[in-house]
Amino acid sequence: MYSQAKVIAGGLAHIPLVIAVFYFILTTFNKRALKFVEEVKTKKPESKAVEQKKQAVSKSENTKVAKKKHADVPVNIYRPKTPYEGTVIENYSLLKEGAIGRVNHITFDLKDSDPFLNYVEGQSIGIMPAGEDANGKPHKLRLYSIASTRHGDNFNGNTVSLCVRQLQYEKDGETINGVCSTYLCDIKPGDKVKITGPVGKEMLLPDEEDANIVMLATGTGIAPMRAYLRRMFEPTEKEKNKWNFKGKAWLFMGAPKSANLLYEEDLQRYLTDNPDNFKYTKAISREQQNTKGGRMYIQDRVLESANELFNMIEDEKTHIYLCGLKGMEPGIDEAMNKAAEEKGLNWSELRPQLKKAGRWHVETY
Ligand code: FAD
Ligand code: A2P
């Protein structure tokens, strides 16, 4: 039997439980309420979404502007299935007595191409070597940087020139010759060659006449630079292009021996005629030594000129072009890192900025 006193005591015993439940509900609600206030204060989810949308729009607009800027640059006029058959006009060695290997300057006639195979400085063309591969299939095309301006070496606007090194390496005691580079170095005036392209928008020159152009080339990496320098300094070409270059051009050129320096006479002539606008720095790896007693590479020359070079790079009118051996990229990066450090700059931050601004151009192979 329950006495009144027992009932009261039992009721009192439940009070802490009721308080605990009430406290739990209150704190949970408070936490959620605080979290909500915090979210509104810091995240502002709606405005963040709007901001993201705005960024996406501006990014796509930037891309559109860049695409629009190069919209008139021709690409893929001829594709591998229907290449243009160009005629070889000339094919001669660019090397002097005692040079290593084989590097040729080769010019093709484009005048019979229909549609006309036009191109601009900094682009490449594809070459499809004659013959078949080991599986009896036609050889795949190889790309080559165009070494002539759009007006061609004869200034008639209907030729294209290349600068080609024959690939040769030793394997199991045997000398292996590269398929396409050997084909190109061996072709004779009058021969027909299958050409595709043009391709590439990475190495285009800026339109601005007061831009500064820094060029880092190894071996045949000089090809696009030769086209740029002709556009800037070759008198007849200048009459044709009406591009009155007023900036500073600086070429860093890497070659194994003096006899391997390419287009040297032209470059010396440009130096004599344009002392205030052209600087030419050579790294002749097997004749000169770097400070550590090793082969002199263009990255060693970059380090020697760090201060002057970075003063130029800090100017937003300066573009940097890298072309040639893929293997030079880490070395150049390391040198730029050190050179930037000396100026109190951070290369790993600066390089993506230059790339984004369309001022850092790389084509290595
Ligand atoms: P292949 O017969 O194709 O042989 C090449 C293959 O040989 C390699 O893929 C590799 O498997 C092997 N190989 C190469 N070296 C060795 C080695 N040391 N040991 C073992 N195996 C090896 N070249 C120029 O000369 N001038 C240019 O202006 C130029 N511009 C270019 C621009 C671009 C955008 C690109 C992508 C490349 C450019 N090249 C240029 C390189 C060119 O496209 C060819 O790759 C080059 O001529 C070799 O082609 P090949 O047919 O002679 O050699
Ligand atoms: P080397 O071959 O003496 O080591 P080419 O194409 O006519 O052979 O010229 C390429 C030039 O680039 C050569 O002087 C070559 O030097 C040099 N070179 C080779 N490897 C590198 C590298 N990793 N960085 C920079 N230059 C290089």
Side-chain angles (χ1 to χ4, degrees), residues 93 95 100-104 164-167 181-182 185-186:
S93 170
L95 304 181
I100 299 166
R102 206 173 162 204
V103 182
N104 281 17
V164 179
R165 163 176 278 286
Q166 182 187 24
L167 173 69
S181 57
T182 303
C185 288
D186 285 346

Side-chain angles (χ1 to χ4, degrees), residues 307-322:
N307 195 39
E308 195 180 345
L309 190 62
F310 269 82
N311 283 344
M312 272 178 87
I313 292 175
E314 281 179 296
D315 178 348
E316 61 182 32
K317 286 184 298 209
T318 301
H319 286 245
I320 304 131
Y321 294 82
L322 220 84

Side-chain angles (χ1 to χ4, degrees), residues 128-140 142 179 183 194:
M128 299 173 75
E132 293 170 343
D133 64 18
N135 301 319
K137 293 201 169 147
H139 287 298
K140 292 201 171 64
R142 271 73 163 176
V179 172
Y183 163 75
K194 289 184 178 141

Side-chain angles (χ1 to χ4, degrees), residues 190-254:
D191 287 352
K192 295 276 186 193
V193 172
K194 289 184 178 141
I195 302 174
T196 65
V199 293
K201 293 189 176 184
E202 168 69 21
M203 298 288 282
L204 305 180
L205 276 178
D207 295 332
E208 291 75 23
E209 293 178 338
D210 60 349
N212 301 309
I213 308 295
V214 175
M215 294 160 276
L216 307 170
T218 53
T220 53
I222 189 76
M225 283 49 164
R226 180 206 183 233
Y228 306 158
L229 292 164
R230 279 176 77 83
R231 184 162 165 80
M232 293 165 188
F233 302 127
E234 190 61 53
T236 315
E237 166 62 32
K238 278 173 73 72
E239 272 170 40
K240 287 261 170 192
N241 67 37
K242 309 269 187 265
W243 193 58
N244 187 17
F245 179 68
K246 295 193 271 285
K248 189 161 189 171
W250 191 352
L251 170 68
F252 290 83
M253 176 67 204

